[in-house]
Structures are given as C-alpha cells and as structure tokens.
C-alpha cells in the first residue's frame, strides 16, 4: 500500500511547471505548500521549521525575502531544504534577482508592486537565466495599476484582469514558466475569481487559497469552503491554506481537505460518530486518543470509532478497521468482519495492535 | 444594523416546514442545528447545554430519546427549551409516538430501522395528530431494506432511492410535512447524494451535513468541504455539522461557514493575514486576542488584523474597521480611512474602543 494510492489527476490540463522536482499542473497531484514564519536571516530556525513542515507533509515551502540581510540565510535554506523553496518578494526587484541567483526554486512576485515594467522584466530575465518558474501572485491590495483605475468592475474581475494583463506581458517576453494566484479574503470572491481564471487562462497552473483567512477555526472554515468548492470542480494545482496559526496546521488542514475530497491521502482517515445521548462510552476521549495515535501511522487506511449500536456496526464495516462500542465494551472490525469483543479500557490498545499487525 | 443583514434566500424553492417557529425550506435562511450530548433523562443538564448552544447561535436542537426513562426529561426539555426540540428516535416506534405526544417540535426517524410499515405508519399518524414535521434521516447504516438488496448501485444511489421510497410511502399516507437527510461520512458521497436528492425530490427541504465526520480538525474540514460545496450550489435548508467535540463547536463552525459563504452572518468577521518573515509584531497573539474579544460583539462587522505594510493597508481598507501594523506601532482604519497611529501594546484596546463607539 503506497502513500499515494488515492492520487487522482486534476481535470484541467495546464502546462506543467517544475518547482525543483515537484510538478505543478499538467495533471500532477495537487501539491501542498506552506510558508515559514521564521526570520529568513536565521537559517537554522527556518530550516528547523521547514523540517517540521515537511514532516507534516509540506511539499513546497515559501520563505519571505524582505531585505538584503536575508539573502545569506536564504541561500543556505535553498541549499539545505529537502523540499523546493519559493522566494516571496515584494517591492524590490533586486531582491528577486538576487534570490534567483542564490538558489531559489521559484520566485513569487506580485508584478503590481514591483514598481515598473523594466523592473518586472529584469526579474523575468533573472528567472529565465536561473531556469526557475515565477508565481504571479496578485491580491486585492496590489492590482495591476491599469486595472485598478478601470471603473465598474467587481473585485474578482479586477483580480482576473490583473493576472491576464501580467500574463500577457510575461508571454510577450517569452516567459511562460508561470503559476498564477489571485487571492481574496472573501470566499465567494475567491471562488468567482478562480473560476474565471480557469476559464480565461486555461494554460496556467493555479495556486489556490484564501488570503488573510483568519485564526484556526475561521481560517479552516474559509479555506475549506473556498478551496473545497474549487478542487471539487477540478480547479487548483497547488494549494496553500493560510492560517494565522503555526504553519504546520496549514499543512495538516490541506491534507485533510485533499483526503476528504478523495483526491490524495497521506495519513489514515478517522471516521468517528458525533456523540449523543445514546453514547455509553467516553467517545470524544477515545476518538481523540485514536486520532493522536494515528499520527504515527503513515498508511492511508480508514479507521472508524463508533459510539453506539445504532450506526456503529453498519458504518464501521465500511472502514478498513474499526471499533463499535456498546456498554463498557466494544467490537473490533477488520475489513467488515467482527474480530473480537474487548473491554472498553483495552479497546484503543487492541485497535492499534491490529493496525500494526495488519497494515 | 441587524444580525441578519447578509441573509439571502436559498435558490431552491421547496415546501416550507415549520419546526415550532423556525421555518425550514421555502426560501427561509439556512438554519443552524446541533444535538445534545447529555443524558436526556437529566433535563437540567440538557437544558443547560441547550442554553450554551443557543448562546452560540443554535436555532434547532436535537435530543436523543433512547428509552422510556428519557420521556419525562424530554417533556420538560420541550416545555422549557427556548428553541425547537427534535426527538431523535431509533428502532422503537412507541418512543416516537410518545415523544410526539409529550411536546416534540419534530421527530427524526430513519424508517429503515423502525421495523415495519405498520410501525412507520403509527409514527406518521402521531406526527399528524401533533401537527409536527418528521425528518426522514437515512444513513448508510440503515437503508430501506428494499434498496439495500438491489445490486449495482452506488452508496449515493442507495441513499437517494431509500429517501425516495420512504417519501413515496409518506405521501401515500397524506403526510408531506417532511425534511430529508441522507448523510454519509464520505465527502464525495455526501455531495453526490444531496445533488441527486435536490434534483429527484425538489419539493422537500434538505437537512445537510456529514455524518461521523470526526474530531475538531478533520470534522471541520469534511463538513465545510461537503456542506460548503452544497450551500454554494443553493442546496441545503438547515444544517448540522457533526463533530466529535463539544456541540457548541458545531454551532460555531456552522455560523463561520454561513458567514464565509456570504449567506448569513451573526457575529463579526475577522480578517487576519497569515504571518510571515516580514511580520514585526506578535500577530498571532494579537489576532487571537481580537478574535476572543470579538465574541462579545454581536454586530456582523468585518474587522481586519494585518501584520505588515505589504498587504495590510490595501486589504484592511475593505473591512469596516481594522488595524495594520508596522514596527512597534500600527494604524487604525475605519471604513477605509486611516484614523490614527497607536503603539503596539495599545492597539487592541484602541480598536475595541472604536468598535464600541461606532457599531
């Protein structure tokens, strides 16, 4: 059983953009990104955070390059990171050029805040020399100045037209090694924008996500609603789910979403019933304990924790392995077959004994 | 400014089903439900939990009626609950009849586990006498026996055909005061099932959600992906987002989702940027502090907490009020206009001073 058994191909067929060894677009599996919150000048701290992100499943990592003092650290990070590193650049085209020369696997710029056509061209030329892609990352705060002045457009239309205008310029300069993003903090605007992008610029892989999505609960809800709708329609080639939280959470939520949609699974799926007045065991505690211990299991099996006899047996049979609990005891199921009855306080231990034995 | 300024009408136009004073379907706003985890026989504990759920925004509450010992408590709960109470019944038609006689505002049954056509008819007749609706709640664990035997059908098709078969029987008995649900624990199956239900049984309001969705992170992701896709398509009239967690979380996540989709908002929206290497203030702490203090604010304003000068000013201007932070200090914006610069440690206090003054 491989980690990627559920991988399916995206429905859109864009160009394939290579970010070091990770394919984005062209039918490649939707990849999971996050962004470091460390000081890039502190390469040790950043590499340590990258290690935690990679352990959680991060496949592409972005780091800010806010000033020239960050460049030495950035170079070391690129050399030592186990996953491709994207340089996040704002305002200063010289930093983008330096990042490309010092080992960036991709650049993320918003051409709308780089300052002039000549400076954008200098960045394009640096990426061409380095053989790396550029993500054109437009957001509501810095649209193409030409588009920002147009009247009567929705925010989604402004974002898409900004992207289209930048893409036209990049193509005119012979550079098509491009991924696009156009993020908003509103879920309906994000959905509308990416639907239009997919239709209007069908050749380019799309980096999807909601910007400034908020803290853990709100950010998870907004990202899953917006990116869930898009991925379900086959829109989106790589994703970063912004959360105002430890970036490891972004990666965990991204994988949960890919697994929930049946697109990719990296870790086990836990199926647990909501408790109700019929529950005769401490199901929340049991499900949390199972979820915690499943973090050590790296096979994409489906594990059920069911709290009562009403739905338990019927539902738990769908899972690869599961427990269905009655009063003070429960039954372990494996691939639909009841295995044995176990006392409540041994149920989780016995479940993991079977998981280790069988998968 | 009212609490419901963002309410929009569902796109489907089903019958309207009244659950006490809450309209479900027929263009009514999508209502938020949850289910008590207390022992129904303990009316005090259950009413206390209902109070917490209602404070969080729960509009319809479901309680299990697992046996006759629960009926006295159930009667008191119905009499004293500030929101309508749905009796959740499995297996025993006599409990359903008793619940209807003792004040239930609705019954939830799965006709597939009630035992016989005669027993289902007795429940229908009890609901007719009491003038209350029935939710036909089908799930994968207990399909219509006729459908369960058919070969070559997907789970989604089995769920929809079970619903259709039950509805046909209810209609033949002259009972159409019905809400439908057909939940699965798989997100793709849930989406496929409800799309088919909406097409095949367009007259009936739909109760949407994912069953056995899991603990807080996984359950939030699965529910938001599935229900997000459905609501975005106009499918779903009332919702319960099952989480293996405190049911108050179900209500909070449900409202976050309705707000994120622009359908309804009850509380303020927090827009906060993900932190990155450019952040010069403790943004996670500040955003969490703002989120915590916003729980006391009951107007649906949009509040921005931005950590840097790159996206902050441009994005925060979209919010009703916001802060954009530079080094050790920040700017408060109100309706797009910078108001004043404030030191970092006074920023949150000053923000709430302005919120209280202005909204």
């Amino acid at each position: 059983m491989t980690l990627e058994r559920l991988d399916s191909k995206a429905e859109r067929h864009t160009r394939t953009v290579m970010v070091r060894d990770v394919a984005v677009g062209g039918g490649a599996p939707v990849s999971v990104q996050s962004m470091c919150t460390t000081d890039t000048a502190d390469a040790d701290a950043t590499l340590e955070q990258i290690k935690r992100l990679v352990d959680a499943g991060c496949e592409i990592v972005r780091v800010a390059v806010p000033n020239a003092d960050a460049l030495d650290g950035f170079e070391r990070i690129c050399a030592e990171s186990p996953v491709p590193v994207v340089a996040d650049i704002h305002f200063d085209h010289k930093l983008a050029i330096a990042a490309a020369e010092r080992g960036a696997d991709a650049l993320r710029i918003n051409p709308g805040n780089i300052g002039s056509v000549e400076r954008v061209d200098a960045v394009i030329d640096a990426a061409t020399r380095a053989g790396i892609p550029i993500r054109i990352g437009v957001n509501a705060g810095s649209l193409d100045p030409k588009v920002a002045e147009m009247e009567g457009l929705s925010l989604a239309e402004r974002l898409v037209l900004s992207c289209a205008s930048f893409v036209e310029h990049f193509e005119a300069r012979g550079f098509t090694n491009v991924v696009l993003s156009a993020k908003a903090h509103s879920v309906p605007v994000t959905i509308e924008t990416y639907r239009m992008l997919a239709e209007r610029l069908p050749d380019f892989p799309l980096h999807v996500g909601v910007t400034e999505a908020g803290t853990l609960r709100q950010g998870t809800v907004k990202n899953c609603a917006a990116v869930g709708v898009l991925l379900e329609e086959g829109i989106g080639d790589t994703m970063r789910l912004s959360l105002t939280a430890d970036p490891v959470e972004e990666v965990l939520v991204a994988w949960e979403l890919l697994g929930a949609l049946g697109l990719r699974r990296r870790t086990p799926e836990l199926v647990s019933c909501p408790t109700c007045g019929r529950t005769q065991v401490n199901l929340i505690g049991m499900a949390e304990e199972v979820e915690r211990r499943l973090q050590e299991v790296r096979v994409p099996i489906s594990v059920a924790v069911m709290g009562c006899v009403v739905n338990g047996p019927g539902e738990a049979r769908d899972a690869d392995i599961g427990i269905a609990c009655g009063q003070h005891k429960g039954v372990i199921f494996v691939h639909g077959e009841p295995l044995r009855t176990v006392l409540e306080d041994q149920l989780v231990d016995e479940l993991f004994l079977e998981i280790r034995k069988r998968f």
Side-chain angles (χ1 to χ4, degrees), chain A residues 65-309:
Chain A
V65 183
N67 52 50
D69 292 343
L71 287 168
D72 287 346
F74 180 75
E75 184 166 5
R76 228 192 95 207
I77 292 161
C78 294
E80 297 183 25
S81 169
V83 294
V85 179
V86 182
D88 195 62
I89 311 280
H90 289 272
F91 303 130
D92 188 342
H93 70 294
K94 291 183 188 156
L95 289 174
I97 296 165
E101 292 170 347
R102 288 187 173 225
D105 296 299
L107 303 177
R108 180 266 160 136
I109 63 169
N110 180 342
N113 71 25
I114 288 293
S116 70
V117 170
E118 292 72 26
R119 290 175 178 179
V120 171
D121 287 346
V123 176
I124 294 172
D125 295 346
T128 303
R129 285 193 301 275
I132 59 174
I134 294 176
R135 169 157 69 94
I136 299 176
V138 174
N139 63 38
S142 42
L143 297 166
D144 182 349
K146 290 200 297 285
V147 174
E149 284 164 13
M150 296 179 188
E151 287 180 19
L153 299 178
S154 70
L155 176 55
E157 288 168 329
R158 286 174 196 277
L159 289 164
V160 174
L161 285 178
S162 290
C163 270
S165 164
F166 294 138
V167 163
E168 193 179 351
H169 181 79
F170 277 56
E171 283 184 319
R173 206 163 178 90
F175 191 92
T176 55
N177 197 13
V178 163
V179 174
L180 299 176
S181 70
K183 299 186 188 179
H185 55 74
S186 150
V187 170
V189 173
T190 300
I191 294 170
E192 188 189 356
T193 300
Y194 278 93
R195 282 177 176 159
M196 284 197 281
L197 276 179
E199 195 177 318
R200 176 142 186 169
L201 297 163
D203 290 343
F204 294 94
L206 298 178
H207 167 120
V208 292
V210 174
T211 194
E212 289 99 25
T215 51
L216 200 53
R217 182 196 299 127
Q218 181 184 293
T220 301
V221 170
K222 289 178 79 168
N223 273 295
C224 291
V227 178
V229 166
L230 293 170
L231 290 178
E232 206 269 336
E233 293 177 11
I235 296 173
D237 302 286
T238 185
M239 65 201 284
R240 187 249 172 144
L241 305 188
S242 306
L243 299 173
T244 307
D246 185 332
V248 166
E249 288 290 336
E250 300 184 347
V251 176
L252 298 175
V253 170
W255 278 103
E256 286 289 0
L257 182 59
L258 287 170
L261 292 167
L263 292 173
R264 294 181 77 187
R265 186 165 294 142
R266 183 174 182 268
T267 53
E269 176 187 40
L270 174 65
V271 178
S272 68
C273 70
T275 59
C276 68
R278 285 186 304 274
T279 307
Q280 291 169 315
V281 295
N282 175 15
L283 195 78
I284 293 179
M286 196 176 286
E288 286 175 348
E289 170 73 5
V290 170
E291 185 175 49
R292 193 182 62 72
R293 289 170 65 168
L294 280 175
Q295 289 177 4
E296 304 300 312
V297 177
R298 284 291 163 90
V299 283
I301 53 173
S302 174
V303 179
V305 177
M306 317 299 284
C308 78
V309 294

